[in-house]
Amino acid sequence: GELMQKGLGAAFGAARRFTKSLSPSTAMSDAQISGVTPTAGMVTGNRATQIVEQGLANTPGGAGIMQESAENVLRELDDSLTRTSQGFGLSKTPQGTGETIKKASLDAGSRFANRRQELDDALISAVGKDTPVSIRNVTKLRDELAAEIKRAPNSRPELKSALGELETVLKDAGPNVTMPFDVLRKIRTRIGQDLDQPDVSGYSPGSLGTIRRVYGALAEDIKYGAESVGPQAKRALERHDSYVKAYRTARAPILQKIADAKTDEQAFTLAMNAAKDGGTTLKTLRKSFTPEEWDVVASSVLSKLGRANPGGQE
């Protein structure tokens, strides 16, 4: 759709509409808009006319004329394609486009961090940094894990690790079993980072389910704390958490993969190969890049459409 808006329809309308269901005048008009002088067979789409053209191409007197005509059409189509792709900006080599994609992925991460900080500041302003929050869900989970450990004291080490985490939080909460809103969120963020990178956090894969329970209990208490302040604070929390979740689940994996590419060519290949599995990944990149960054990608890709591989070009 992005390509069509910037003139792909005009460039390839002639080829797309060369069917018997549309009039030759329409096909001719489209060809002229594209700057192409087509053959009669191209305009009419008539099989008989195309066979005549093929026959002329095989005769001594007509071969040169038909070959020149065909070459003119190809050249004009190529020029039309070049003009259209340049409408997005200067097309680059795979290396140059990969460099842009890689840098754009890194910049997208920076933009996410800045936007998240804005939402975070709005949330703290709405709730209050030091607003006490009752950690009743943390307390409830602590009791549940303690009961589960009693049933299997030696064979569930991951429960002991999670229980230790909760006991530490409750110890800091003190006799009132409350924690400042901002402190509780920072604890949840740290637990979330452990879930994102289990190999770095030190938790074994088998413990992730239990750690998710800890994260969930913290999240519920944070939600309760925001709701207790009022509807504005609740909406601020929902906006923040929805934005972070959407980025981490949909955008971060592909952006990180491209940013970690060892070469610019690899970054280009990662982005383009994703199209073979559908447009989801490209759609994610499109949303993450600025219009200027995406135009470089569009121009480079559009300039290569319909071309044979380098070894097969004539």
Coordinates of all heavy atoms in Angstrom, one line a residue, residues 178-213:
T178 N 3.5 -2.5 53.2 CA 3.3 -1.6 52.1 C 4.7 -1.1 51.5 O 5.7 -1.2 52.3 CB 2.5 -0.3 52.4 OG1 3.2 0.4 53.5 CG2 1.1 -0.7 53.0
M179 N 4.7 -0.8 50.3 CA 5.9 -0.2 49.7 C 5.6 1.0 48.8 O 4.5 1.1 48.3 CB 6.6 -1.3 48.8 CG 7.1 -2.5 49.5 SD 8.3 -3.5 48.6 CE 9.8 -2.5 48.7
P180 N 6.5 1.9 48.7 CA 6.3 3.0 47.8 C 6.1 2.6 46.4 O 6.7 1.6 45.9 CB 7.6 3.8 47.9 CG 8.2 3.5 49.2 CD 7.8 2.0 49.4
F181 N 5.2 3.2 45.7 CA 4.8 2.8 44.3 C 6.0 2.7 43.4 O 6.1 1.7 42.7 CB 3.8 3.8 43.8 CG 3.3 3.5 42.4 CD1 2.3 2.5 42.2 CD2 3.8 4.2 41.3 CE1 1.8 2.2 40.9 CE2 3.3 3.9 40.0 CZ 2.4 2.9 39.8
D182 N 6.8 3.6 43.4 CA 8.0 3.6 42.5 C 8.9 2.5 42.8 O 9.5 1.9 41.9 CB 8.7 5.0 42.5 CG 9.7 5.1 41.4 OD1 9.4 4.8 40.3 OD2 10.9 5.6 41.7
V183 N 9.1 2.2 44.1 CA 10.0 1.1 44.5 C 9.5 -0.2 44.0 O 10.2 -1.1 43.5 CB 10.3 1.1 46.0 CG1 11.0 -0.1 46.4 CG2 11.0 2.4 46.4
L184 N 8.2 -0.4 44.2 CA 7.5 -1.7 43.8 C 7.6 -1.9 42.3 O 7.9 -3.0 41.8 CB 6.1 -1.7 44.2 CG 5.3 -3.0 44.2 CD1 6.0 -4.0 45.2 CD2 3.9 -2.8 44.6
R185 N 7.5 -0.8 41.5 CA 7.6 -0.9 40.1 C 9.0 -1.3 39.6 O 9.2 -2.1 38.7 CB 7.2 0.4 39.4 CG 5.7 0.6 39.4 CD 5.3 1.9 38.7 NE 5.6 1.7 37.2 CZ 6.5 2.5 36.6 NH1 7.2 3.4 37.3 NH2 6.8 2.3 35.3
K186 N 10.0 -0.8 40.3 CA 11.4 -1.1 40.0 C 11.7 -2.5 40.3 O 12.5 -3.2 39.5 CB 12.4 -0.2 40.8 CG 12.3 1.3 40.2 CD 13.3 2.2 41.0 CE 13.2 3.6 40.5 NZ 14.1 4.5 41.3
I187 N 11.1 -3.1 41.3 CA 11.3 -4.5 41.6 C 10.7 -5.3 40.5 O 11.3 -6.3 40.1 CB 10.7 -4.8 43.0 CG1 11.5 -4.1 44.1 CG2 10.7 -6.4 43.2 CD1 10.8 -4.3 45.5
R188 N 9.5 -5.0 40.1 CA 8.8 -5.7 39.0 C 9.7 -5.6 37.7 O 9.8 -6.6 37.0 CB 7.4 -5.2 38.8 CG 6.7 -6.0 37.8 CD 5.4 -5.3 37.3 NE 5.7 -4.1 36.6 CZ 4.7 -3.4 35.8 NH1 3.5 -3.9 35.8 NH2 5.0 -2.3 35.2
T189 N 10.2 -4.5 37.4 CA 11.0 -4.3 36.2 C 12.2 -5.2 36.3 O 12.6 -5.9 35.3 CB 11.5 -2.9 36.1 OG1 10.3 -2.0 35.9 CG2 12.4 -2.7 34.9
R190 N 12.9 -5.3 37.4 CA 14.0 -6.2 37.6 C 13.7 -7.6 37.3 O 14.3 -8.4 36.6 CB 14.7 -6.0 38.9 CG 15.9 -7.0 39.2 CD 16.5 -6.7 40.5 NE 15.6 -6.9 41.6 CZ 15.2 -8.1 42.1 NH1 15.7 -9.2 41.5 NH2 14.3 -8.2 43.1
I191 N 12.5 -8.1 37.9 CA 12.1 -9.4 37.7 C 11.7 -9.7 36.2 O 12.0 -10.7 35.7 CB 10.8 -9.7 38.6 CG1 11.1 -9.6 40.0 CG2 10.2 -11.1 38.3 CD1 12.1 -10.6 40.6
G192 N 11.1 -8.7 35.6 CA 10.8 -8.8 34.2 C 12.1 -8.9 33.3 O 12.1 -9.7 32.3
Q193 N 13.1 -8.3 33.7 CA 14.4 -8.4 32.9 C 15.0 -9.8 33.1 O 15.6 -10.4 32.2 CB 15.4 -7.4 33.4 CG 15.0 -5.9 33.0 CD 15.9 -4.9 33.7 OE1 16.6 -5.2 34.7 NE2 15.9 -3.7 33.1
D194 N 14.8 -10.4 34.3 CA 15.2 -11.8 34.5 C 14.4 -12.7 33.6 O 15.0 -13.7 33.1 CB 15.0 -12.2 36.0 CG 15.9 -11.4 36.9 OD1 16.9 -10.9 36.4 OD2 15.6 -11.4 38.1
L195 N 13.2 -12.4 33.4 CA 12.4 -13.3 32.5 C 12.8 -13.1 31.1 O 12.8 -14.1 30.3 CB 10.9 -13.0 32.7 CG 10.2 -13.4 34.0 CD1 8.8 -12.8 34.1 CD2 10.2 -14.9 34.1
D196 N 13.2 -11.9 30.7 CA 13.6 -11.7 29.3 C 14.9 -12.4 29.0 O 15.2 -12.8 27.9 CB 13.7 -10.2 29.0 CG 12.4 -9.5 28.9 OD1 11.4 -10.2 28.7 OD2 12.3 -8.3 29.1
Q197 N 15.8 -12.4 30.0 CA 17.1 -13.0 29.8 C 17.4 -14.0 30.9 O 18.3 -13.8 31.8 CB 18.2 -11.9 29.8 CG 18.0 -10.8 28.7 CD 19.0 -9.7 28.8 OE1 19.4 -9.3 29.9 NE2 19.5 -9.3 27.7
P198 N 16.8 -15.2 30.8 CA 17.0 -16.2 31.8 C 18.4 -16.7 32.0 O 18.9 -17.1 33.0 CB 16.1 -17.3 31.4 CG 15.8 -17.1 30.0 CD 15.9 -15.6 29.8
D199 N 19.2 -16.7 30.8 CA 20.6 -17.1 30.9 C 21.4 -16.2 31.7 O 22.4 -16.6 32.3 CB 21.1 -17.4 29.5 CG 21.0 -16.1 28.7 OD1 20.0 -15.4 28.8 OD2 21.9 -15.9 27.8
V200 N 21.1 -14.9 31.6 CA 21.9 -13.9 32.3 C 21.4 -13.8 33.8 O 22.2 -13.5 34.7 CB 21.7 -12.5 31.6 CG1 22.5 -11.4 32.4 CG2 22.3 -12.6 30.2
S201 N 20.1 -13.9 34.0 CA 19.6 -13.7 35.4 C 20.1 -14.7 36.4 O 20.1 -14.5 37.6 CB 18.1 -13.7 35.3 OG 17.6 -15.1 35.1
G202 N 20.4 -15.9 35.9 CA 20.8 -17.0 36.8 C 19.7 -17.9 37.1 O 20.0 -19.0 37.7
Y203 N 18.5 -17.7 36.7 CA 17.4 -18.6 36.9 C 17.5 -19.7 35.8 O 17.7 -19.4 34.7 CB 16.1 -17.9 36.8 CG 15.8 -16.9 37.9 CD1 15.7 -15.6 37.7 CD2 15.6 -17.4 39.2 CE1 15.4 -14.7 38.7 CE2 15.4 -16.5 40.2 CZ 15.2 -15.2 40.0 OH 15.0 -14.3 41.0
S204 N 17.3 -20.9 36.2 CA 17.2 -22.0 35.3 C 15.9 -22.0 34.5 O 14.9 -21.4 35.0 CB 17.4 -23.3 36.0 OG 16.3 -23.6 36.9
P205 N 15.9 -22.5 33.3 CA 14.6 -22.5 32.6 C 13.4 -23.1 33.3 O 12.3 -22.7 33.2 CB 15.0 -23.4 31.3 CG 16.4 -23.2 31.2 CD 17.0 -23.1 32.6
G206 N 13.7 -24.1 34.2 CA 12.6 -24.7 34.9 C 12.0 -23.8 36.0 O 10.9 -24.1 36.4
S207 N 12.7 -22.7 36.3 CA 12.2 -21.8 37.3 C 11.3 -20.7 36.8 O 10.7 -19.9 37.5 CB 13.3 -21.2 38.1 OG 14.1 -20.4 37.3
L208 N 11.3 -20.6 35.5 CA 10.7 -19.4 34.9 C 9.2 -19.4 35.2 O 8.6 -18.3 35.4 CB 10.8 -19.4 33.3 CG 12.3 -19.2 32.8 CD1 12.3 -19.2 31.3 CD2 12.8 -17.9 33.4
G209 N 8.5 -20.5 35.2 CA 7.1 -20.5 35.6 C 6.8 -19.9 37.0 O 5.9 -19.1 37.2
T210 N 7.7 -20.2 37.9 CA 7.5 -19.7 39.3 C 7.9 -18.2 39.3 O 7.2 -17.5 40.0 CB 8.5 -20.5 40.2 OG1 8.2 -21.9 40.1 CG2 8.2 -20.0 41.7
I211 N 8.9 -17.8 38.6 CA 9.3 -16.4 38.6 C 8.2 -15.6 37.9 O 7.9 -14.4 38.3 CB 10.6 -16.2 37.9 CG1 11.7 -17.0 38.6 CG2 11.0 -14.7 37.8 CD1 11.8 -16.6 40.1
R212 N 7.5 -16.2 36.9 CA 6.4 -15.4 36.3 C 5.2 -15.2 37.4 O 4.5 -14.2 37.3 CB 5.8 -16.2 35.1 CG 6.7 -16.1 33.9 CD 6.0 -16.7 32.7 NE 6.9 -16.6 31.5 CZ 7.7 -17.5 31.1 NH1 7.7 -18.7 31.7 NH2 8.5 -17.4 30.0
R213 N 5.1 -16.2 38.3 CA 4.1 -16.0 39.3 C 4.5 -14.8 40.2 O 3.6 -14.0 40.7 CB 4.0 -17.3 40.1 CG 3.4 -18.4 39.4 CD 3.5 -19.7 40.1 NE 2.7 -19.8 41.3 CZ 2.7 -20.7 42.2 NH1 3.5 -21.8 42.0 NH2 1.9 -20.7 43.3

